[in-house]
Amino acid sequence: MTVVLHDYWRSSASYRVRIALALKGIAYERVAVDLVAGEQRRADHLALNPQGLVPVLEIDGLRLTQSLAILEYLEETRPQPALLPEGAAARAHARALALAVACEIHPLSNLGVLARVEALAGSEARTAWNRENIARGLEAVERLLDHPGFAGRFCHGDRPGMADCVLIPQIYNASRWGVEFQDLARVSAVATNCVTVTAFVAAHPDNCVPHRRQSDW
Amino acid sequence: MTVVLHDYWRSSASYRVRIALALKGIAYERVAVDLVAGEQRRADHLALNPQGLVPVLEIDGLRLTQSLAILEYLEETRPQPALLPEGAAARAHARALALAVACEIHPLSNLGVLARVEALAGSEARTAWNRENIARGLEAVERLLDHPGFAGRFCHGDRPGMADCVLIPQIYNASRWGVEFQDLARVSAVATNCVTVTAFVAAHPDNCVPHRRQSDW
């Protein structure tokens, strides 16, 4: 049965799932949902995900939502190669890193939230809000990476995993918004290393052709 | 070894972990971290959690952060009673519900974010921001609960679990901010049922004595 990912090329949550699918070697078809055009609120998409969000992954006869729940599902059903390290303590650290991005940084940077900030206080305030939020969040991630599980190349251990699937899209977002993170040695090391891994290259928004749209968001 | 939870009585993320500990019957001591007084930024707390957030759970010689990572750790190390249902598909739905609150509602309602909105646009805008965000988020949860896994009493199946641990603190928050959710039949059913479960009663902010502070947040 074909695996289908409904996503948006620049959506961080979509990008996380693309990386995970690539790391696990799961072939899939993409269906682009243009968030800027509001396609996530169309009836056909709401039938897939009543939250009106991307990504949605159609797999094993299911329609899965919420990127981190999707990653956990892939890990449970296709355990190799693993996205989480062995041992409950190490897994807790890897999950905490992923959540430090998914719950602390990303929710404040999504399209709808930034539009609300702009409506309240203007476009400069919107830009400042987002840059400050990303910068502060990545600094926290840098401190969390100061951990025995950090071996210098990926977020935890010597293989890319769940935390990298979440951090790399956030770094892409930081770069787009001109947030400097070169002073964050561990975050920078992860960023530098992951660009050499085929799965991360394949999942990059710029490689989401032919479905890529030339949107300004 | 004593289990110690560093928390704040009204913090939703802390409340989630208190419920989970109670559901699993894990005895613990509480150390109150007064977020309104800024204690989360003190050196002693930053040594526990460099993110400067609560909760932190000291357990098994570890210091765990990020509430959902803590819940997953508890589930892996103390599997009974289970916080997640059996079967990868059911688990994906339960996790998606938890994340629909933890990633879509809660991050926009925390103390720091509301202070930033108030600084940008005033206290009325802050209140409107939060009420709108909570209302919209709970409506999405209501739609996600329209699922075969919803049996009428808890978020998934016939026992309280991870999604309830996350939803109930959000409902407490909704009530504090005067957000009506009685029209959301499934959300209301979960709220009504969970108040009868001892673990949820024990974990309620009002029962966090003697560490409770009479803060206005």
Side-chain angles (χ1 to χ4, degrees):
Chain A
M1 194 182 296
T2 307
V3 176
V4 179
L5 178 66
H6 302 258
D7 78 346
Y8 178 67
W9 64 297
R10 273 186 166 167
S11 142
S12 289
S14 301
Y15 189 178
R16 296 170 193 164
V17 175
R18 290 198 303 267
I19 298 169
L21 289 166
L23 284 171
K24 286 191 175 286
I26 301 167
Y28 63 98
E29 293 181 1
R30 287 185 62 238
V31 175
V33 181
D34 190 333
L35 299 188
V36 175
E39 290 180 355
Q40 73 277 21
R41 292 185 294 273
R42 288 198 333 203
D44 57 347
H45 187 72
L46 289 173
L48 288 172
N49 180 4
Q51 276 197 287
L53 298 172
V54 288
V56 177
L57 186 68
E58 295 190 86
I59 188 168
D60 302 336
L62 304 167
R63 290 169 179 172
L64 303 181
T65 64
Q66 287 291 338
S67 59
L68 291 181
I70 293 172
L71 267 55
E72 295 277 359
Y73 177 87
L74 295 176
E75 187 73 350
E76 291 188 356
T77 58
R78 284 113 172 129
Q80 296 302 328
L83 295 178
L84 285 167
E86 289 186 19
R91 294 158 75 90
H93 181 242
R95 285 188 174 112
L97 282 166
L99 291 161
V101 174
C103 294
E104 315 295 339
I105 308 178
H106 178 248
L108 297 174
S109 289
N110 80 29
L111 187 62
V113 171
L114 294 182
R116 285 155 75 189
V117 172
E118 184 168 358
L120 283 177
S123 66
E124 285 186 24
R126 164 180 173 268
T127 302
W129 164 289
N130 202 28
R131 289 171 52 99
E132 179 191 326
N133 173 54
I134 295 170
R136 188 187 341 214
L138 289 180
E139 285 166 16
V141 171
E142 177 73 11
R143 291 191 294 273
L144 288 177
L145 285 171
D146 183 10
H147 180 278
F150 180 69
R153 295 181 63 217
F154 302 106
C155 283
H156 193 102
D158 57 5
R159 288 194 315 207
M162 184 179 289
D164 305 288
C165 291
V166 181
L167 180 57
I168 292 300
Q170 188 59 61
I171 285 174
Y172 167 78
N173 206 258
S175 298
R176 283 183 57 221
W177 286 82
V179 177
E180 303 281 347
F181 59 87
Q182 285 67 23
D183 290 346
L184 307 177
R186 301 177 192 90
V187 168
S188 294
V190 173
T192 302
N193 279 296
C194 285
V195 296
T196 68
V197 177
T198 308
F200 289 82
V201 176
H204 193 282
D206 288 349
N207 295 327
C208 285
V209 287
H211 292 295
R212 181 181 170 189
R213 309 282 177 100
Q214 294 300 334
S215 153
D216 67 351
W217 180 69
Chain B
M1 193 181 296
T2 307
V3 176
V4 179
L5 178 66
H6 302 258
D7 77 347
Y8 178 67
W9 65 296
R10 271 185 168 167
S11 141
S12 290
S14 301
Y15 189 178
R16 295 171 193 163
V17 175
R18 289 197 303 268
I19 299 169
L21 289 166
L23 284 171
K24 287 194 175 284
I26 301 168
Y28 64 99
E29 293 180 1
R30 287 186 61 238
V31 175
V33 181
D34 190 333
L35 299 188
V36 175
E39 290 181 356
Q40 73 278 20
R41 292 185 293 273
R42 288 197 333 202
D44 57 345
H45 186 71
L46 290 173
L48 288 171
N49 181 2
Q51 276 197 288
L53 298 172
V54 289
V56 177
L57 186 68
E58 295 191 84
I59 189 168
D60 303 337
L62 303 168
R63 291 168 178 172
L64 303 182
T65 65
Q66 285 291 338
S67 59
L68 291 181
I70 293 172
L71 267 55
E72 296 277 359
Y73 177 86
L74 295 176
E75 187 74 351
E76 291 189 356
T77 58
R78 283 114 172 130
Q80 295 303 328
L83 295 178
L84 286 168
E86 290 185 19
R91 295 158 74 89
H93 181 241
R95 286 188 174 113
L97 282 165
L99 291 161
V101 175
C103 294
E104 314 297 337
I105 308 178
H106 178 248
L108 296 174
S109 289
N110 80 28
L111 188 60
V113 171
L114 295 181
R116 284 155 76 189
V117 172
E118 183 167 358
L120 282 177
S123 66
E124 284 186 25
R126 165 180 173 268
T127 302
W129 164 288
N130 201 27
R131 288 170 54 97
E132 179 190 327
N133 173 55
I134 295 171
R136 188 188 339 212
L138 289 180
E139 286 166 16
V141 171
E142 177 74 10
R143 290 191 295 273
L144 288 177
L145 285 171
D146 184 8
H147 180 277
F150 180 69
R153 296 182 62 218
F154 302 107
C155 283
H156 193 102
D158 57 5
R159 288 194 316 206
M162 183 179 288
D164 305 287
C165 291
V166 180
L167 180 59
I168 292 300
Q170 188 60 61
I171 286 174
Y172 167 78
N173 206 258
S175 298
R176 284 183 56 221
W177 286 81
V179 177
E180 303 280 347
F181 58 86
Q182 285 68 24
D183 290 347
L184 308 176
R186 300 177 194 92
V187 168
S188 293
V190 173
T192 302
N193 279 296
C194 285
V195 297
T196 69
V197 177
T198 307
F200 289 82
V201 177
H204 193 281
D206 287 349
N207 295 327
C208 285
V209 287
H211 292 295
R212 181 181 171 190
R213 310 281 178 100
Q214 294 299 335
S215 152
D216 66 351
W217 180 69

